[in-house]
Amino acid sequence: MPEQARNRPRVNVRRPDVMELVSAEVAVHYHSSLVEKIKDQGGKITHGNTTLLLAQDFGFCYGVERAIDLAYASRKVFPDNRIFLIGEIIHNPDVNQHLRDMNIVSLPWKEIDASYDQLEPDDVVIVPAFGAPTSFMEKIQERGCYTVDTTCGDVMKVWRRVRGYAKEGITSIIHGKENHEETRATASRALGEEKNGHYLVILTLADTDHVCNYIRHGGDKQAFLDRFKGSYKQGFDPDLHLRKIGVANQTTMLKSETQEIQNRLAQAILDRDGSSENFSMFDTICGATQERQDALFTMLKTRMDLLLVVGGYNSSNTAHLVEIGEKELPTFFIRDASQITSLGLIVHYDLHHAQETTTDYAEVFSGKDHITIGLTAGASCPNNLIEAAVRKVFDLRGTPLEI
């Protein structure tokens, strides 16, 4: 392989002439004048016998918009090159289908397989908004490909912090989903520059309490390792590597849960050591995730009959919006408007059983002349899908929107 190919820098495709073309194409695919109009009206539209409320913050965040722009720009800058993407650019099937239509081919993201050995110096590899583990980045560099890195800035802030933990001999306790792309990428950075750091991924408060109990009292090391198998690197020893800990998280987790995990771990260290010297933390929930969760909490103060949450089923931040909503009222997690068969019969994703199901909620509207429906969406959901859901609601209520 030519040396100049092996040492290629990451490509900046954000040229003004390219981005002008990209903006026009993205607008056609994802923007919605109706959604913008509703936002300008304070997020409320009443038509006939139905009121629909939009959360104050919903849909695409800056990091998602940037990732999509860079992916579209890659095809314009490299019209004839093979372009690959590690996994999915974001967790939205509509967006990912558009990229496939542009002949951008997904590579496996859980492990490096033989397809990576087939990459050539003239190929372009896009790194998704979640980032990618260091082993993947090293493999791409080894193959000498052009790299377009769309990793979200909030994710990279977490990486800087966990690298710092590793340098100081602090084990990163990562609140996240062990099999999520972002968490895997963060865990690889928690090893540090010398690859001698340690991490432990935890998801639930039950996981947290188990770790806290071990911090306070020790216990059966093998049982601990068996419980968290797959959530740490080889060589992790809870007797050694829980002495100094620092909390980080997948940026799309539920903010209140991350805060509770931090509080419980901090108290466990304080109980064991009599001080907090061996505990570190910082807020790593991304701003857009916080804004969308806070906006939903605010909207839930208004009486509604039903809540629709639109987004990809594998979207973590969208799932947490569903968790918030379902504690207060009938809440349905849908991919798009096609799943609203009627307002009493909705195909949706059941978080608790991890499967798609159909639920009849016709009784919710029984005897009501006027109903109010809330709608929000995850940070990876485009406005065109939100518009389609809005229009479907009014169509099914017998009062189609003419705007």
Side-chain angles (χ1 to χ4, degrees):
M1 181 179 300
E3 187 65 24
Q4 62 269 28
R6 186 180 295 276
N7 294 325
R8 275 178 177 153
R10 294 178 183 179
V11 182
N12 178 16
V13 296
R14 293 182 69 91
R15 302 197 317 242
D17 58 324
V18 171
M19 297 315 297
E20 184 176 353
L21 296 173
V22 166
S23 295
E25 189 172 1
V26 167
V28 170
H29 286 170
Y30 306 121
H31 290 188
S32 164
S33 58
L34 173 61
V35 170
E36 292 303 318
K37 183 173 183 177
I38 297 173
K39 288 174 68 175
D40 291 341
Q41 296 173 180
K44 179 179 180 179
I45 181 171
T46 298
H47 189 56
N49 56 6
T50 307
T51 294
L52 187 136
L53 304 177
L54 288 179
Q56 182 177 353
D57 290 293
F58 60 87
F60 276 178
C61 64
Y62 169 76
V64 165
E65 289 180 341
R66 174 179 172 275
I68 293 171
D69 286 351
L70 289 174
Y72 275 63
S74 298
R75 178 47 78 198
K76 296 192 180 303
V77 173
F78 297 98
D80 301 317
N81 297 57
R82 296 196 306 173
I83 301 182
F84 297 90
L85 166 66
I86 301 174
E88 299 180 328
I89 192 73
I90 58 172
H91 285 156
N92 184 275
D94 185 63
V95 172
N96 288 301
Q97 183 58 54
H98 278 299
L99 297 189
R100 286 192 290 272
D101 292 342
M102 295 160 57
N103 200 25
I104 295 176
V105 179
S106 289
L107 293 167
W109 63 268
K110 291 186 177 180
E111 59 183 23
I112 298 173
D113 69 3
S115 59
Y116 284 83
D117 291 323
Q118 306 305 314
L119 295 173
E120 300 175 357
D122 284 338
D123 292 336
V124 180
V125 178
I126 301 173
V127 181
F130 319 105
T134 54
S135 58
F136 285 72
M137 302 305 295
E138 290 163 358
K139 184 65 174 181
I140 293 167
Q141 184 179 17
E142 173 193 310
R143 300 304 302 166
C145 306
Y146 295 103
T147 305
V148 178
D149 193 346
T150 79
T151 305
C152 176
D154 284 321
V155 173
M156 290 192 284
K157 288 179 183 177
V158 181
W159 292 354
R160 287 194 289 271
R161 182 52 62 101
V162 297
R163 284 194 190 101
Y165 285 164
K167 190 174 182 179
E168 297 171 20
I170 298 171
T171 296
S172 293
I173 307 296
I174 304 171
H175 176 213
K177 300 175 180 178
E178 189 271 328
N179 285 319
H180 191 281
E181 297 97 316
E182 181 192 325
T183 297
R184 287 187 171 214
T186 296
S188 73
R189 270 75 182 182
L191 301 180
E193 299 298 332
E194 304 299 322
K195 309 292 186 185
N196 58 356
H198 289 276
Y199 65 84
L200 177 67
V201 179
I202 59 176
L203 178 59
T204 65
L205 292 176
D207 289 341
T208 307
D209 288 340
H210 198 85
V211 174
C212 288
N213 185 64
Y214 202 94
I215 288 172
R216 290 187 176 99
H217 309 295
D220 185 331
K221 182 192 298 186
Q222 191 56 52
F224 184 97
L225 294 174
D226 290 344
R227 177 188 174 102
F228 292 102
K229 186 177 181 180
S231 298
Y232 52 83
K233 80 157 190 173
Q234 187 174 4
F236 176 80
D237 183 340
D239 292 337
L240 299 175
H241 301 127
L242 294 179
R243 298 305 305 172
K244 296 176 67 175
I245 63 172
V247 180
N249 58 269
Q250 184 181 316
T251 59
T252 54
M253 300 306 287
L254 189 63
K255 179 181 177 181
S256 59
E257 189 170 49
T258 291
Q259 290 175 332
E260 180 62 21
I261 285 172
Q262 291 172 339
N263 293 340
R264 293 188 188 189
L265 289 170
Q267 187 62 51
I269 293 293
L270 180 62
D271 291 345
R272 185 192 67 192
D273 298 344
S275 77
S276 299
E277 182 179 352
N278 290 319
F279 178 79
S280 301
M281 60 164 280
F282 77 120
D283 184 7
T284 57
I285 296 290
C286 84
T289 296
Q290 288 186 23
E291 289 165 1
R292 281 148 186 74
Q293 291 177 10
D294 292 344
L296 179 54
F297 280 120
T298 298
M299 188 167 74
L300 289 171
K301 295 176 183 178
T302 301
R303 187 200 64 79
M304 296 179 289
D305 298 289
L306 182 77
L307 176 67
L308 298 173
V309 182
V310 188
Y313 287 166
N314 57 343
S315 168
S316 177
N317 74 89
T318 309
H320 290 309
L321 294 176
V322 177
E323 290 174 358
I324 292 170
E326 66 184 9
K327 293 178 180 178
E328 304 294 332
L329 78 168
T331 299
F332 298 97
F333 186 177
I334 62 173
R335 273 197 312 266
D336 54 51
S338 68
Q339 296 181 272
I340 313 173
T341 306
S342 73
L343 287 180
L345 196 65
I346 299 177
V347 179
H348 63 104
Y349 189 71
D350 183 337
L351 290 176
H352 307 287
H353 297 94
Q355 64 183 19
E356 194 173 73
T357 187
T358 302
T359 301
D360 185 346
Y361 262 97
E363 73 276 7
V364 170
F365 311 113
S366 178
K368 296 180 180 179
D369 295 328
H370 192 101
I371 66 169
T372 300
I373 293 178
L375 192 152
T376 189
S380 53
C381 183
N383 278 358
N384 67 303
L385 297 185
I386 297 169
E387 173 177 340
V390 171
R391 291 191 180 278
K392 188 68 171 288
V393 165
F394 285 102
D395 287 349
L396 291 172
R397 291 289 287 169
T399 56
L401 294 175
E402 298 178 358
I403 54 176

